[in-house]
Amino acid sequence: MSERYDCTECSDSLYGQKYILREEYPYCIKCYEALFSSNCEKCKKLISCTSKDLSFKDRHWHSECFLCNDCSRSLVDKPFATKNDLLMCTDCYCLEYSSKCHACLKTIMPGTKKMEHKGNSWHEKCFICKFCQQTIGTKSFVKKDGNNYCLACYEKLFALQCVHCKKPITTGGVSYHDQPWHKECFVCAGCKMQLAGQRFTSRDDATYCLECFCNLFAKKCAHCTNPISGLGGSKYISFEDRQWHNDCFNCKKCSASMVGRGFLTFRNDILCPDCGKDL
């Protein structure tokens, strides 16, 4: 007696019947289609095991249903694109959705590499430096007057040169006395601190932060011996060869302010008329 050969699912005999092996297990046609066949995305009918099953991203079609959503041309063995899960031939897709190259004005075909910047698109081969005509690709570039320039050409043609280091300034420059500087080159001549955004002054064509300027050049208050900057409109008192901060110009004895009042001097001291009347 011969050994039985039955469908793995329904156990019906497969002798004399068509069947399909899946992972070495036999199935009758009916069970195989019920278990493993897909429904067509377009007509929703079962794709039988005798029909060609075309699949894309876990979706399936009969070969006769694999058509462009717009013009209904067959997409079998042809390039295609998708938009909102709809199949489209490349012609229809380009007509509706593809970008136009900003340089040559031709369509940028689906699947080809395109370069984008601020709402404009280019073919990779069209995205070139205006001056040297070399492709820019993903390298840094600068846009000027509607044209793209690679960084080297832009610096050569347009960039200002720093007064200090003589190198091009591409970003973040500082202007002082109508001359351009890199931020990192515009520093205090004393402590070398960057001065961009800071209060500073100059002397003999050199720039100084306020602290260095006061320490190096400001006169000292005759009372507290701290520097008198005179910067920013701050007021001070000068008498003969001595200077005082406004707040320091007081009577030696009673500490009354002498600003705007008559005063007497005795040796190195300042006295109000009352304190000095007996001298």
Side-chain angles (χ1 to χ4, degrees):
M1 184 175 178
S2 62
E3 184 179 352
R4 289 181 61 84
Y5 194 65
D6 301 334
C7 172
T8 303
E9 180 67 15
C10 67
S11 300
D12 285 353
S13 174
L14 297 176
Y15 282 111
Q17 306 295 323
K18 290 182 178 180
Y19 66 91
I20 298 174
L21 283 175
R22 181 182 174 92
E23 297 177 355
E24 298 184 1
Y25 293 99
Y27 294 88
C28 66
I29 300 299
K30 182 178 180 180
C31 288
Y32 181 88
E33 290 182 345
L35 291 170
F36 305 115
S37 291
S38 302
N39 288 326
C40 175
E41 283 285 322
K42 185 171 179 62
C43 70
K44 308 304 179 185
K45 295 180 181 179
L46 186 76
I47 302 173
S48 70
C49 58
T50 58
S51 299
K52 190 173 183 180
D53 183 337
L54 300 179
S55 63
F56 175 70
K57 290 186 176 180
D58 296 325
R59 296 188 295 154
H60 300 261
W61 292 262
H62 294 105
S63 59
E64 61 270 21
C65 294
F66 197 60
L67 309 172
C68 172
N69 185 70
D70 282 15
C71 69
S72 298
R73 284 187 294 182
S74 173
L75 299 177
V76 178
D77 297 327
K78 292 183 175 63
F80 64 92
T82 60
K83 184 71 174 181
N84 300 326
D85 290 334
L86 298 175
L87 300 175
M88 301 181 74
C89 66
T90 53
D91 289 342
C92 290
Y93 183 89
C94 291
L95 188 63
E96 287 195 45
Y97 303 111
S98 286
S99 304
K100 299 294 188 292
C101 177
H102 191 65
C104 70
L105 305 181
K106 294 180 181 179
T107 299
I108 301 175
M109 299 295 290
T112 60
K113 192 170 183 179
K114 69 175 179 179
M115 314 304 295
E116 295 181 303
H117 179 68
K118 292 187 176 180
N120 292 322
S121 303
W122 291 263
H123 293 108
E124 186 178 22
K125 66 179 182 179
C126 295
F127 191 55
I128 61 175
C129 171
K130 174 70 174 178
F131 186 72
C132 69
Q133 299 294 299
Q134 297 299 308
T135 55
I136 295 173
T138 57
K139 295 182 291 187
S140 297
F141 70 98
V142 180
K143 197 172 190 69
K144 181 176 174 63
D145 300 330
N147 296 312
N148 300 318
Y149 295 88
C150 67
L151 209 53
C153 288
Y154 179 83
E155 290 176 352
K156 183 189 301 182
L157 295 171
F158 306 111
L160 297 172
Q161 287 193 336
C162 174
V163 171
H164 176 72
C165 69
K166 310 304 179 187
K167 294 180 181 179
I169 300 172
T170 55
T171 58
V174 175
S175 179
Y176 179 63
H177 284 178
D178 295 326
Q179 293 180 317
W181 307 67
H182 290 112
K183 279 186 178 181
E184 56 271 24
C185 293
F186 190 61
V187 298
C188 171
C191 67
K192 307 305 179 185
M193 177 183 73
Q194 288 190 26
L195 296 177
Q198 308 294 324
R199 293 181 66 196
F200 66 92
T201 188
S202 62
R203 183 185 178 99
D204 299 329
D205 295 327
T207 52
Y208 297 89
C209 67
L210 298 191
E211 184 176 354
C212 286
F213 182 84
C214 290
N215 290 335
L216 291 170
F217 305 113
K219 294 180 180 180
K220 303 298 189 289
C221 176
H223 174 70
C224 69
T225 71
N226 289 327
I228 300 172
S229 69
L231 299 171
S234 60
K235 296 180 179 180
Y236 63 96
I237 306 299
S238 180
F239 177 70
E240 295 179 346
D241 59 348
R242 293 183 292 166
Q243 288 79 32
W244 294 261
H245 295 107
N246 265 21
D247 294 340
C248 294
F249 193 57
N250 303 323
C251 174
K252 177 68 174 179
K253 286 190 175 184
C254 69
S255 299
S257 174
M258 294 292 97
V259 177
R261 298 174 55 188
F263 60 90
L264 301 173
T265 60
F266 179 69
R267 295 176 185 165
N268 290 328
D269 298 330
I270 299 296
L271 300 170
C272 67
D274 289 339
C275 293
K277 64 185 177 181
D278 295 332
L279 298 177

